[in-house]
Amino acid sequence: MTATPLNTTKSQEIFTAAQTLMPGGVSSPVRAFKSVGGQPIVFDRVKGAYIWDVDGNQYIDYVGTWGPAICGHAHPDVIQALHESLDKGTSFGAPCAQENILADMVINAVPSIEMVRFVNSGTEACMSVLRLMRAFTGREKIIKFEGCYHGHADMFLVKAGSGVATLGLPDSPGVPKSTTTNTLTAPYNDLEAVKKLFNDNPDEIAGVILEPVVGNSGFIPPDAGFLEGLRLLTQDHGALLVFDEVMTGFRISYGGAQAKFGVTPDLTTLGKVIGGGLPVGAYGGSKEIMSLVAPAGPMYQAGTLSGNPLAMTAGIKTLDILNKEGQYDVLEKITKKLIDGLLAIAKETGHEACGGSISAMFGFFFTAGPVHNFSDAKQSDTAKFGHFHRGMLERGIYLAPSQFEAGFTSLAHTEADIDKTLAAAREVMSSL
Ligand SMILES: *Cc1c(COP(=O)(O)O)cnc(C)c1O
């Protein structure tokens, strides 16, 4: 378990070439390791709880392709179903029966959803739901929270959490001011701030969108009463409540955060897990609201590859596995063992740290905490996290390369994997 200097020769070669071909050498910013230092490793294959890089190193994976791999990578049931579907072609651009099956599963699982529209990513789901919020209410302003990420559409690139925070960009050039003037922001877990925004903008706010458990500024759960308070406030002001469950959907419980906390929003966005590793997003809500979406109604939204049979198949198989008795108890137990262990080791080795988990989602910060919002999260010692990340990587543990990302476990993670991870953490934290 001692840190062998990683041989990453091939990774370095590939990434060096990638930097001449693609901006920053990556297809999505956080993959570039900017906030933890060093070079990213280049993957060759994934299976269960493990990943292998192009130099043959094996790691226990706590990123799970940023959420989708909740059953473990390349689950045999998913792969087999995909093979069968693949033989029939990849995309029809026409209805397929698999859409009904996945839609039915989503509608049965998620309390707020009576009708659903499939798209290709979480970003697409969130930008579409925003249009729908505005179409339904006839109002233009929305409230989002500092540190919550809802994809990279212009209107949401205001105080948008991890990816943006990690690069130190408060905002992004290229986003016209006129696009974000209708985006109001409040600190997470701050009901008073939301009340004030409603009072200052009477009859102008279409709705409130949030991550019901934050994962994009690190792991931050809602305070008791926060979700309930938002439900009442939005109702009182004729505004919609939207849970962005792209990360939490089918991860913190089969019905997402809304089932876990018993607060039902008007609209919900999904992604990540429901695609089982293929590109899928979705948004849904009551029949009344969803009937505004084209072609049932006038709100336009479309997609060439939306609802394609391969992606639907991966989603169906993934949800099938998750819906078996007791799966979330398994996830809860293994994840709690991990986070409790990490926090205990931090304490023993003299590091200030706080954190937590819900089911298969966890996170910790190198700060005494408590962390209720993004400002609190930013008190973390990010330089220390960078060293911790590197030390863990050298011991075969792959963590998200940013202090401001949640971690993910899967049904494939074993107690032995957790023990190994904690042994590595003890070594690394002792040396920090
Ligand atoms: C990942 C994420 C998104 C964006 O999804 P993509 O598929 O990356 O476009 C939106 N909202 C939340 C809460 C997310 O975690």
Side-chain angles (χ1 to χ4, degrees), residues 146-223:
E146 293 163 15
C148 280
Y149 181 63
H150 305 297
H152 65 79
D154 281 358
M155 308 72 75
F156 291 124
L157 281 187
V158 184
K159 303 187 176 169
S162 58
V164 190
T166 297
L167 292 174
L169 305 174
D171 219 323
S172 168
V175 175
K177 273 211 187 77
S178 57
T179 323
T180 53
T181 46
N182 286 319
T183 308
L184 313 174
T185 60
Y188 198 77
N189 277 323
D190 188 342
L191 271 182
E192 287 307 313
V194 179
K195 254 182 223 167
K196 184 166 183 325
L197 288 175
F198 270 113
N199 291 335
D200 292 349
N201 299 273
D203 300 325
E204 289 186 299
I205 294 171
V208 176
I209 185 168
L210 76 155
E211 294 179 65
V213 175
V214 183
N216 284 292
S217 31
F219 172 83
I220 307 175
D223 289 346

Side-chain angles (χ1 to χ4, degrees), residues 28 66 120-126 148-152 210-216 244-248 269-272 279-281 405 408:
S28 192
W66 300 98
N120 303 288
S121 69
T123 292
E124 215 187 319
C126 292
C148 280
Y149 181 63
H150 305 297
H152 65 79
L210 76 155
E211 294 179 65
V213 175
V214 183
N216 284 292
D244 178 356
E245 298 230 39
V246 169
M247 187 183 288
T248 53
T269 55
L270 295 166
K272 299 190 170 122
V280 183
E405 297 286 355
F408 302 119

Side-chain angles (χ1 to χ4, degrees), residues 112 129 132-133 240-243 265-269 284-285 289-290:
S112 64
V129 93
L132 184 53
M133 289 160 79
L240 299 175
L241 180 62
V242 184
F243 280 5
D266 299 295
L267 290 164
T268 299
T269 55
I289 304 178
M290 290 305 287

Side-chain angles (χ1 to χ4, degrees), residues 317-328:
K317 279 295 152 189
T318 299
L319 298 198
D320 258 343
I321 297 162
L322 289 172
N323 201 21
K324 289 188 184 127
E325 189 67 31
Q327 299 289 53
Y328 289 87

